[in-house]
Structures are given as structure tokens and as C-alpha cells.
Amino acid sequence: MIKHPYPAQLTPLYADRVSAGFPSPASDYLEARLDLNAHLINSPSSTIFVRAGGDSMQGRGIFSGDLLIVDRSITPKNGQIVIAALNGELTCKTLDTEQRCLVAANPRYAPIPITQESEFSIEGVVIASVRYHQCSP
């Protein structure tokens, strides 16, 4: 288990799954206590959070306002969702190393080529996202 630098609030994790169809009686059985930091963050010192904006990654389940968990220690691979700095602007896209481009997950957006002239760096790999179903904080 990875030790995290911030104190964690352990939240109850119940063994039963919640029905997203027809309701069923809830169980009182507590499986464990869950620390979301331990569950979502492997490298605390190299993990950052960024908020998504726009609709270009909806096909991969990332919506405007989602909180992205980004690990800067992971070596990016083809097909992974990354945060990239391209010509001075940050963007969240799928990395295509074979075609040397960044690909949106919305067909309305064309792939963005990465050329020799591009100022390009990958800031990290998106390892998870958090979607707020009420008001965003």
C-alpha cells in the first residue's frame, strides 16, 4: 500500500452494488473503508488534478467540468489519454504515436498533428476522472 502525504478521510464502502435499474433492498454489510487517494493515486508526488473543459473527449467518458487525475510519472503510450502542451496551450486528447498526432474522442474534431515545428510536451497520463452529478465545487 502506498503511503500518501495527506491525511485521508476513510469512507465506508458497502459490499452490495447499487442497482441502476430496479431498486433492491440495501444491505447493511460494510465491506471496508475506502481511501480514495490510495485507490486512485499511485504516485502522490507526481500526481496533479486538472479540470476538463469542452466536449472533445466525451467519447472516452470525459465531460466538461470533470476532474482529471493525471500521473506525470507514467511514460505515455499509444492510445492513452494524455494532457499535452502544444504550442503553449494545454489539451486533453488521446495520444496516437503511430500517426504522430493527438486525437479527440468526438468526431467533430480533426486530429491535431505533431510536427517538427510544434512546441510539444506531454504533461502526464490521465489515469481517472471524477464526474460531479450535482453542483461542481
Side-chain angles (χ1 to χ4, degrees), residues 48-53 57 62 66-72 74 76 80-86 89-95 102 120-128:
I48 61 171
F49 299 95
V50 297
R51 188 136 342 251
M57 294 303 288
I62 297 174
D66 286 357
L67 183 67
L68 306 180
I69 303 170
V70 180
D71 191 330
R72 297 174 59 116
I74 296 174
Q80 289 182 317
I81 300 171
V82 298
I83 302 299
L86 183 62
E89 293 191 32
L90 290 177
T91 187
C92 177
K93 299 287 184 275
T94 301
L95 178 65
L102 297 171
F120 176 76
S121 65
I122 294 178
E123 299 301 312
V125 174
V126 177
I127 58 171

Side-chain angles (χ1 to χ4, degrees), residues 33-131:
R33 294 222 173 250
L34 181 66
D35 172 3
L36 286 178
N37 287 318
H39 188 69
L40 295 172
I41 300 173
N42 292 323
S43 304
S45 63
S46 60
T47 298
I48 61 171
F49 299 95
V50 297
R51 188 136 342 251
D55 63 356
S56 72
M57 294 303 288
Q58 286 183 356
R60 295 285 302 262
I62 297 174
F63 294 84
S64 191
D66 286 357
L67 183 67
L68 306 180
I69 303 170
V70 180
D71 191 330
R72 297 174 59 116
S73 71
I74 296 174
T75 301
K77 295 182 181 125
N78 187 57
Q80 289 182 317
I81 300 171
V82 298
I83 302 299
L86 183 62
N87 299 323
E89 293 191 32
L90 290 177
T91 187
C92 177
K93 299 287 184 275
T94 301
L95 178 65
D96 184 338
T97 57
E98 295 169 5
Q99 300 297 313
R100 293 195 43 85
C101 62
L102 297 171
V103 182
N106 182 332
R108 294 184 351 184
Y109 299 94
I112 303 168
I114 303 166
T115 65
Q116 294 291 344
E117 294 78 34
S118 300
E119 291 180 34
F120 176 76
S121 65
I122 294 178
E123 299 301 312
V125 174
V126 177
I127 58 171
S129 63
V130 176
R131 178 162 315 119

